Amino acid sequence: MIWAVAAALWVSLASGVYLCLSRDVFRVALGLAVVGAGVNLALLASGRLGSVQPAVVPKGQPFLELASNPLPQALVLTAIVIGFALVCFSLALVLGLIRDAGTDDALELRAAEPVPGNDIKPPATDPAHEPEWPPEGRA
Amino acid sequence: MSALATAPAIVPLAAAALVTAVRSRPRLQQALAMAASVALLGCALALLAQVAAGETVVVAFGGWPSPMAIEFVVDRTAAALVLITALMGVAAVLFLASDADVGDRHPLLLPLLFGVLAGAGGAFVTGDLFNLYVWFEVMLICALGLLAIGARVDQLDASFKYLALNLLGTLLLLFAVAAVYGVTGHLNFTALAGAAPAVAPGLWLAVLTLLMVAFLVKAGAFPVYAWLPASYHTLPAPVLALIAGLLTKVGIYALLRTLGDVFSPAPAVLYEVLGWVAAATMLFGVLGAAYHWDMRRILAFHIISQVGYILLGIALASVAGYAATLFYTLHHIVVKANLFLIAAIIWRLTGSYDLRRIGGLYVTRPWMTLLLLIPALSLVGIPPLSGFWAKLLLLQEAIGQGRVVWTVVALVVSVLTLYSMMKIWMEAFWKRHPDAEWQPPADTQLAPAWAVTVGLAGVTVWISLYPQALLVYVQAAAATLGGR
């Protein structure tokens, strides 16, 4: 069982990292989700796997010898929920970014860090990417 | 009263809920936010008073016995950082009442701001490794919200880069937490400290390396700092000051807490590697800053450079080193936030963050020169300002341990820091404004901004003139680290 989980962990980490290295921003977001799934597997595996004994301590025994540790199962639930929220956020962000920037190529996303036009001086920032000055009067 | 230990997380969370409820009424929201951040400051002061008397405030949730319960543990280190977090909260909320680059007032800005404060406060006080991970996630999601909330295309671009690199860091952290739990069976810091020596050395080195890399991503250390200069400069000024002051410091605190306290002594090779990483962080950060002409980008690269100094104290792995780290962190948060806020005032008065497009402030606002020079020269480390004492403590210990290369790098980087601070001073203040007709606008609403920046400069001056009080405190704090 642990080897099956290890193989699944390896496959999901490898494929996730492969996707993350893509220039396509949507694939990067998906890759992060896959890496997250792999890490959740690792967290689950940290509390022993494979036992079919329920996590209920019989009367007269101080602890269970063979059962899986229930704590990582609780932890992994927390991690899944947090990861799910972040995946939702990242998908919404990536869709908005592709719509507004008009490209899904990470190398062409230079709105925040414009490419220098000359070897020595940094580029001047595009006024469209700056806060509006003078600021409008606020109610 | 041990329930006070939950205040650094509970008060901002309650405040976030409260200001969300009144989000359709901006004035009320601002007033409530101010009240809540002052309340947080009060709680932090009360905590500080308790721990300064030598008591460690502990609260265990659910009434479980240690090490089963999730604990919040406030010792001197945590209390000082909580106080500075609360101070930054007050500064950011008050600054939002001005009109110096505060962005469009989105109704969810303040709730997210309090989310960041809750994440930082929770991370500082928690005594549980998994709980630490959760607070990092709270901070990450709230910081992402603050980045994306303006919805300009450069902000979305910055959010994406911040998300991709930080999420990878967080996943590394979660992996490391799983590995630590797998090999020790504990998450509670005190229990981990007891269980660590029993682990096989090779395995333990691998686990701690994973943990260290995860925290280095969060701290913005070389070579994994790319997320920081890619994103910070797109934020509105008060949010930027808060995030720039706090977020990387939480990563540093987590490193100090693990390598310097819970898992101390960690394998020596980790401290050695950390020292070289620190030296490279200082150098590459300051070189980035020397290149740029946008004030926000200059200052963002200086965060990285200063993170290098702070990490060096942890790498020295001694009580004096940890004391220097703590002193440096406290001084640095105030100074760095203040510089970003002053840059925002310069933006309001002159019309740009780009040093090539502005100037003339020395003639029109002579007193502002002094206001800039206090934090700017303190960042450099000119005596007698607070940065000088921080660097003195750090480099004394580095030389004492025979770390000549690290010391030389730190000194050279100080000179380069002086170069970019002087660049800001000469370009924004000394030279004439490129537009000969330029006059500072009269219809500004800067009173809250002046109050915040002068107040923070006052804190810097206080640390500069009476370093002894803070020094005694951080030495007492550092002496208790590693003593579990």
Side-chain angles (χ1 to χ4, degrees):
Chain A
M1 181 72 175
I2 189 72
W3 289 106
V5 171
L9 172 66
W10 183 82
V11 169
S12 49
L13 280 187
S15 50
V17 169
Y18 174 76
L19 284 172
C20 280
L21 293 174
S22 162
R23 276 166 61 174
D24 183 329
V25 289
F26 193 69
R27 287 189 181 197
V28 174
L30 289 182
L32 286 168
V34 177
V35 173
V39 172
N40 285 344
L41 274 178
L43 189 58
L44 187 66
S46 71
R48 277 195 300 275
L49 295 163
S51 166
V52 289
Q53 193 177 350
V56 179
V57 185
K59 216 170 187 181
Q61 240 181 320
F63 58 89
L64 285 169
E65 275 191 16
L66 291 173
S68 312
N69 184 341
L71 180 65
Q73 299 174 3
L75 298 183
V76 84
L77 271 179
T78 315
I80 288 171
V81 171
I82 295 175
F84 185 67
L86 279 165
V87 167
C88 288
F89 179 87
S90 65
L91 290 179
L93 176 71
V94 161
L95 289 179
L97 181 62
I98 293 175
R99 189 193 59 208
D100 287 4
T103 175
D104 61 359
D105 183 349
L107 292 187
E108 285 180 17
L109 288 174
R110 299 306 296 245
E113 293 178 289
V115 188
N118 122 359
D119 287 345
I120 304 164
K121 290 181 190 159
T125 325
D126 183 345
H129 298 156
E130 286 288 297
E132 194 181 330
W133 191 92
E136 284 175 40
R138 292 167 56 205
Chain B
M1 194 174 75
S2 64
L4 199 58
T6 60
I10 295 292
V11 172
L13 282 178
L18 197 63
V19 294
T20 311
V22 297
R23 65 186 178 281
S24 53
R25 303 176 62 188
R27 280 172 188 278
L28 181 63
Q29 198 190 26
Q30 173 75 22
L32 281 178
M34 199 63 226
S37 49
V38 170
L40 180 61
L41 189 64
C43 292
L45 282 171
L47 268 177
L48 188 77
Q50 282 197 7
V51 298
E55 181 191 350
T56 303
V57 188
V58 183
V59 56
F61 291 101
W64 292 88
S66 180
M68 306 303 170
I70 293 175
E71 288 178 338
F72 275 8
V73 182
V74 186
D75 59 2
R76 284 192 180 86
T77 313
L81 289 164
V82 165
L83 178 65
I84 211 87
T85 306
L87 187 67
M88 286 303 111
V90 173
V93 172
L94 184 57
F95 199 93
L96 272 171
S98 78
D99 65 349
D101 190 15
V102 293
D104 295 329
R105 190 52 167 281
H106 195 286
L108 292 178
L109 180 85
L110 280 168
L112 288 169
L113 203 71
F114 279 109
V116 170
L117 287 176
F124 288 141
V125 295
T126 187
D128 183 278
L129 199 56
F130 190 79
N131 202 235
L132 182 66
Y133 155 77
V134 174
W135 291 119
F136 266 110
E137 291 282 30
V138 170
M139 259 187 314
L140 173 65
I141 194 83
C142 292
L144 276 169
L146 288 170
L147 271 163
I149 208 166
R152 279 201 324 257
V153 64
D154 60 313
Q155 288 171 329
L156 295 181
D157 177 11
S159 317
F160 173 70
K161 287 164 186 169
Y162 188 94
L163 170 90
L165 296 170
N166 263 294
L167 193 50
L168 211 55
T170 310
L171 290 173
L172 276 176
L173 174 58
L174 185 58
F175 206 155
V177 171
V180 168
Y181 188 76
V183 298
T184 63
H186 287 293
L187 289 168
N188 181 284
F189 283 165
T190 312
L192 277 175
V199 183
L203 184 62
W204 192 230
L205 179 63
V207 170
L208 282 191
T209 306
L210 195 58
L211 197 63
M212 186 169 96
V213 171
F215 287 143
L216 284 178
V217 174
K218 293 289 169 186
F222 178 85
V224 281
Y225 61 66
W227 57 271
L228 194 158
S231 59
Y232 272 17
H233 60 280
T234 61
L235 286 164
V239 179
L240 172 58
L242 182 76
I243 284 185
L246 286 180
L247 289 203
T248 51
K249 310 311 172 296
V250 182
I252 291 170
Y253 165 79
L255 259 183
L256 178 66
R257 183 58 81 192
T258 47
L259 288 189
D261 182 14
V262 176
F263 302 130
S264 171
V269 62
L270 284 182
Y271 296 112
E272 187 74 23
V273 169
L274 187 64
W276 290 103
V277 166
T281 309
M282 281 183 228
L283 193 62
F284 286 92
V286 86
L287 289 179
Y291 168 73
H292 278 289
W293 284 78
D294 184 313
M295 282 185 283
R296 293 163 304 177
R297 304 200 71 181
I298 294 176
L299 293 173
F301 270 104
H302 273 299
I303 301 174
I304 298 166
S305 167
Q306 302 287 312
V307 161
Y309 284 95
I310 302 176
L311 290 178
L312 186 57
I314 304 176
L316 293 172
S318 65
V319 170
Y322 300 150
T325 289
L326 206 51
F327 192 104
Y328 210 119
T329 309
L330 297 171
H331 127 81
H332 172 71
I333 292 176
V334 174
V335 161
K336 178 55 73 182
N338 203 8
L339 281 170
F340 276 112
L341 296 177
I342 292 171
I345 299 180
I346 296 177
W347 172 87
R348 181 68 190 95
L349 292 175
T350 60
S352 179
Y353 275 112
D354 194 319
L355 291 171
R356 289 166 291 195
R357 295 180 188 157
I358 64 176
L361 280 174
Y362 186 62
V363 181
T364 49
R365 291 282 189 280
W367 286 101
M368 202 180 156
T369 314
L370 192 64
L371 184 62
L372 173 79
L373 284 183
I374 291 171
L377 294 183
S378 180
L379 190 76
V380 179
I382 302 284
L385 291 164
S386 57
F388 167 71
W389 302 112
K391 283 186 180 165
L392 184 69
L393 288 176
L394 187 64
L395 296 185
Q396 258 181 346
E397 179 61 15
I399 293 173
Q401 294 192 9
R403 300 296 194 170
V404 179
V405 180
W406 299 350
T407 312
V408 171
V409 171
L411 292 174
V412 170
V413 169
S414 291
V415 177
L416 290 171
T417 310
L418 181 66
Y419 163 72
S420 41
M421 289 301 124
M422 282 306 102
K423 185 158 84 181
I424 294 180
W425 191 79
M426 288 173 72
E427 297 289 327
F429 285 83
W430 207 8
K431 87 166 186 234
R432 284 172 202 278
H433 198 285
D435 176 6
E437 305 286 301
W438 171 80
Q439 282 297 321
D443 57 342
T444 56
Q445 191 185 328
L446 284 177
W450 292 119
V452 171
T453 46
V454 170
L456 290 179
V459 174
T460 302
V461 169
W462 177 75
I463 298 176
S464 310
L465 298 182
Y466 302 101
Q468 187 67 19
L470 186 57
L471 184 61
V472 169
Y473 182 86
V474 296
Q475 278 172 342
T480 59
L481 292 178
R484 281 166 195 272

